[in-house]
Amino acid sequence: MADVAPVNLFSLDRDGLERFFAAHGEKPFRARQVMKWVYHAGVLDFAAMTDLSMRQRELLARIATLRLPEVVARRESRDGTIKWAVRVGNGNDVETVLIPERGRNTLCVSSQVGCMLDCSFCSTGKQGFNGNLDAADIIGQVWLANAELAARGESVTNVVLMGMGEPLLNFDNVLVATNLMMDDLAFGISKRRVTVSTAGVVPGIYRLAETTDLSLAISLHAPNDALRDELVPINRKYPIATLLEACRHYLSGLGDKRTLTMEYTLLKGVNDSIAHARELAALLRDVRCKINLIPFNPFPASGYERPDMTVVRAFQTHLLNAGYATMLRTTRGDDINAACGQLVGQVQDRTRRQARYIARVQAQEVA
Ligand code: SAH
């Protein structure tokens, strides 16, 4: 038989692993054994998986690998936030951020190298798009962070797909990875604590509703189409009414107690007035949701500013008074550029858009 490339078992969820073993004439329950070694015991060497027969261990060593993304940088903020840059399969680097707070360890995971959506206030979009992460590179970010936490007796408790990229445009790989996050044989994180965040890829929301009931966050950022068209260009394709219809559909599969999260990045003088808050409160009246306010995190040449705290508070108060659970996302890890919208990574094959962006930064520095 001709040699085929070994399969990276990190790219398979439980179903995939069971099929993999079945295809090699092995019992599907081997999948469970291997998952426990990999995700519970942190063992990546097939030879050490002692409840498999010698023959099975040798077979795995021949036809499979357990390859993680490579950590190329690690920085720790004075507030405990940790940011890793990891090199993924296609040779590019993406970033992963761990945010420890109040007994929780939330991991912010990347799903793509760069992003094609180009939201006007997000630095990831400025670097252009350079490919999808495969499932192994997505779940590998969780494995690596969890290994570091395990060494101090902790674990990843929450995962948000709010790093680089648009998760619903890398649907299949994200689904395999989120299955593993929630699988008791892997990370066993509750569906309430695994959140996919989307800029509004409507067909992806419907597909997600067919396959899972994990938690969903929507990057709304504007209460009307005119403004949202400008900030989140995918709105021109899937306008707010279409998006909220998809949200209601997704909610119908969640049960009465669960809600969606609406994210709203506050941009000074752009979407932060009380009139905007009022419009937002009216817009969301029949969508069961809580609202997450994110004061803009600046990056070079963004052209936007963070509103004053008094404006942020007033916006929040209006929504609270209108009956919305409204959280203010405190900025974490900004001393290491780990805050929302600041993740960039290192794209090897630079796109023209990135070159234009660099030119703009340089022009601004000169001015
Ligand atoms: N593409 C997905 C995942 C990215 S999530 C999505 O759009 O939801 C990252 C969150 O941070 C999104 O809500 C995004 O709009 C927000 N964000 C991006 N840039 C930001 C910035 N500079 N300051 C604050 N929030 C930002």
Side-chain angles (χ1 to χ4, degrees):
M1 193 177 81
D3 272 346
V4 285
V7 176
N8 188 359
L9 299 190
F10 275 116
S11 65
L12 302 175
D13 59 11
R14 192 196 300 207
D15 279 355
L17 269 177
E18 286 180 349
R19 279 197 300 271
F20 170 83
F21 279 106
H24 289 92
E26 299 290 338
K27 294 274 188 299
F29 75 84
R30 299 292 172 206
R32 295 166 159 267
Q33 291 174 306
V34 169
M35 285 177 76
K36 285 188 188 168
W37 283 111
V38 173
Y39 296 104
H40 294 181
V43 168
L44 301 184
D45 179 5
F46 295 123
M49 300 183 180
T50 46
D51 54 1
L52 302 177
S53 72
M54 208 52 111
R55 188 188 54 76
Q56 286 159 341
R57 285 181 252 171
E58 281 164 9
L59 173 73
L60 282 176
R62 217 171 45 247
I63 63 172
T65 62
L66 282 162
R67 198 176 50 249
L68 289 163
E70 181 199 352
V71 176
V72 291
R74 178 191 181 284
R75 293 182 71 189
E76 191 160 349
S77 160
R78 46 185 132 75
D79 67 17
T81 302
I82 302 172
K83 179 171 83 170
W84 294 270
V86 298
R87 184 146 305 159
V88 296
N90 64 6
N92 292 293
D93 297 350
V94 299
E95 295 182 335
T96 311
V97 180
L98 177 76
I99 307 152
E101 67 187 332
R102 286 177 275 114
R104 285 195 296 195
N105 285 312
T106 301
L107 192 69
C108 180
V109 165
S110 293
S111 57
Q112 296 184 312
V113 181
C115 189
M116 32 182 143
L117 296 186
D118 203 18
C119 298
S120 65
F121 53 90
C122 178
S123 65
T124 302
K126 306 298 170 210
Q127 70 176 223
F129 174 71
N130 216 36
N132 282 327
L133 266 58
D134 63 22
D137 285 331
I138 301 172
I139 202 64
Q141 295 170 63
V142 184
W143 195 95
L144 286 166
N146 204 64
E148 178 163 336
L149 286 170
R152 59 183 204 222
E154 297 178 38
S155 62
V156 172
T157 61
N158 298 58
V159 179
V160 291
L161 278 112
M162 295 187 185
M164 297 166 64
E166 167 52 48
L168 295 186
L169 291 180
N170 184 11
F171 194 96
D172 294 337
N173 291 323
V174 163
L175 195 68
V176 167
T178 52
N179 283 343
L180 285 166
M181 292 171 203
M182 296 186 287
D183 193 321
D184 285 338
L185 290 175
F187 294 105
I189 304 172
S190 136
K191 61 194 177 188
R192 289 178 178 71
R193 293 164 182 249
V194 174
T195 304
V196 166
S197 179
T198 179
V201 179
V202 164
I205 297 174
Y206 284 100
R207 241 187 111 189
L208 202 64
E210 282 168 26
T211 26
T212 177
D213 62 350
L214 48 68
S215 300
L216 183 64
I218 307 290
S219 292
L220 193 61
H221 308 310
N224 60 63
D225 283 324
L227 185 54
R228 196 165 192 270
D229 280 352
E230 215 181 284
L231 303 180
V232 185
I234 198 180
N235 194 68
R236 296 174 204 152
K237 193 160 182 194
Y238 306 113
I240 292 178
T242 313
L243 174 58
L244 294 186
E245 190 52 44
C247 288
R248 282 187 288 269
H249 175 75
Y250 195 79
L251 272 167
S252 68
L254 289 192
D256 294 344
K257 291 219 177 72
R258 293 176 65 198
T259 63
L260 298 187
T261 302
M262 293 291 168
E263 291 163 282
Y264 195 101
T265 296
L266 286 161
L267 306 161
K268 184 174 188 168
V270 175
N271 65 355
D272 63 345
S273 72
I274 292 300
H276 290 121
R278 194 175 299 126
E279 202 180 351
L280 183 63
L283 180 70
L284 296 177
R285 228 176 1 235
D286 46 344
V287 185
R288 211 165 59 242
C289 65
K290 56 183 180 356
I291 300 172
N292 237 338
L293 298 176
I294 317 169
F296 173 66
N297 293 309
F299 57 90
S302 71
Y304 291 105
E305 286 173 71
R306 180 183 294 191
D308 296 334
M309 230 26 216
T310 49
V311 172
V312 171
R313 291 277 179 217
F315 199 95
Q316 181 187 25
T317 303
H318 186 91
L319 294 173
L320 286 169
N321 290 340
Y324 292 93
T326 308
M327 252 83 67
L328 193 57
R329 179 106 56 87
T330 49
T331 298
R332 299 288 307 262
D334 53 346
D335 55 329
I336 56 168
N337 280 336
C340 295
Q342 293 185 326
L343 303 187
V344 285
Q346 205 63 57
V347 177
Q348 304 291 323
D349 170 19
R350 288 162 193 275
T351 61
R352 291 217 329 271
R353 182 132 54 84
Q354 192 188 22
R356 283 204 301 277
Y357 171 65
I358 291 167
R360 204 162 72 232
V361 174
Q362 284 166 346
Q364 180 155 319
E365 279 166 1
V366 172

